[in-house]
Amino acid sequence: MTLFVDMDEVLADTYGAHLELYKEKHGVQLNLADCQGKEAWESVPEGHSKEIRNHAWEVGFFRNLKLIEGSQEVMAELNKKHEVYIASAAMQFPNSLKEKSDWLDEFFPFIPWQNRILCGHKFILKGDILIDDRSYNLKNFDGRSFLFTSPHNVNTNGFERVNSWQEVADKLL
């Protein structure tokens, strides 16, 4: 099978990074339970939302992301059984191209550069499975779609959902 796997909120914890940076600047730890069903910038006072949105434009933001629990181990096993590609919409944030590539070199060295698609729209992808946290990327995919749970998408319906990398392993390994 050919699998496409998104980076942000699937392999890399961008949501958590937004909350950590907010805490560093404002001394306020946002409760993840209060963020459910919202983007990170919708979870802060209105005057701070632009600041959160701008994190993705900062040098180092994508390079310093933490792993989503279980992603390395399950991806390594998937890579042994399937043709695995990383597919990330990296074109929106110019710094993210190099930073995402460097991050993948560190955490997913078993996925060669030839299997990394740093793109704009994902509707161009043709394969068997797409794992993504954004429904707009999944809705036009011709194969099987897995919506990977993230705080912002807990209220999104209409897609096969996976809540963890263990669930991905249970379905695909």
Side-chain angles (χ1 to χ4, degrees):
M1 282 194 296
T2 301
L3 280 67
F4 297 105
V5 181
D6 180 35
M7 284 184 69
D8 299 321
E9 285 310 292
V10 177
L11 300 174
D13 187 6
T14 49
Y15 203 100
H18 286 301
L19 300 186
E20 283 182 27
L21 289 169
Y22 187 78
K23 180 183 178 186
E24 285 176 18
K25 182 164 184 180
H26 299 284
V28 175
Q29 177 65 58
L30 296 170
N31 182 342
L32 204 54
D34 295 334
C35 298
Q36 300 299 298
K38 302 176 194 172
E39 299 291 346
W41 54 84
E42 295 172 325
S43 302
V44 299
E46 191 174 317
H48 295 173
S49 63
K50 185 176 181 184
E51 170 193 329
I52 298 266
R53 284 179 172 272
N54 286 337
H55 287 160
W57 292 93
E58 295 173 12
V59 172
F61 178 77
F62 291 99
R63 180 63 184 96
N64 298 314
L65 296 173
K66 294 179 181 171
L67 285 162
I68 298 289
E69 183 180 346
S71 60
Q72 274 180 315
E73 300 81 5
V74 174
M75 284 287 288
E77 293 304 311
L78 288 170
N79 194 52
K80 291 175 187 174
K81 290 184 71 171
H82 306 290
E83 189 173 356
V84 177
Y85 292 87
I86 305 298
S88 184
M91 300 306 293
Q92 184 177 0
F93 306 105
N95 292 329
S96 77
L97 290 169
K98 173 138 179 51
E99 291 181 10
K100 286 184 176 195
S101 182
D102 290 346
W103 190 88
L104 287 167
D105 285 343
E106 179 179 350
F107 295 110
F108 296 88
F110 51 88
I111 304 290
W113 67 267
Q114 296 92 335
N115 288 42
R116 300 173 187 180
I117 304 165
L118 302 177
C119 60
H121 294 293
K122 293 185 186 175
F123 65 81
I124 63 167
L125 301 174
K126 301 291 181 212
D128 298 300
I129 294 174
L130 173 58
I131 304 171
D132 205 300
D133 65 303
R134 298 285 174 183
S135 59
Y136 59 78
N137 288 323
L138 299 171
K139 71 179 180 177
N140 293 317
F141 185 70
D142 289 334
R144 186 175 177 190
S145 298
F146 291 160
L147 180 65
F148 198 92
T149 298
S150 174
H152 69 82
N153 71 24
V154 296
N155 298 322
T156 301
N157 298 309
F159 298 94
E160 186 174 355
R161 183 177 289 276
V162 287
N163 296 300
S164 68
W165 276 97
Q166 183 56 56
E167 287 186 24
V168 172
D170 293 345
K171 290 175 183 280
L172 299 178
L173 290 175

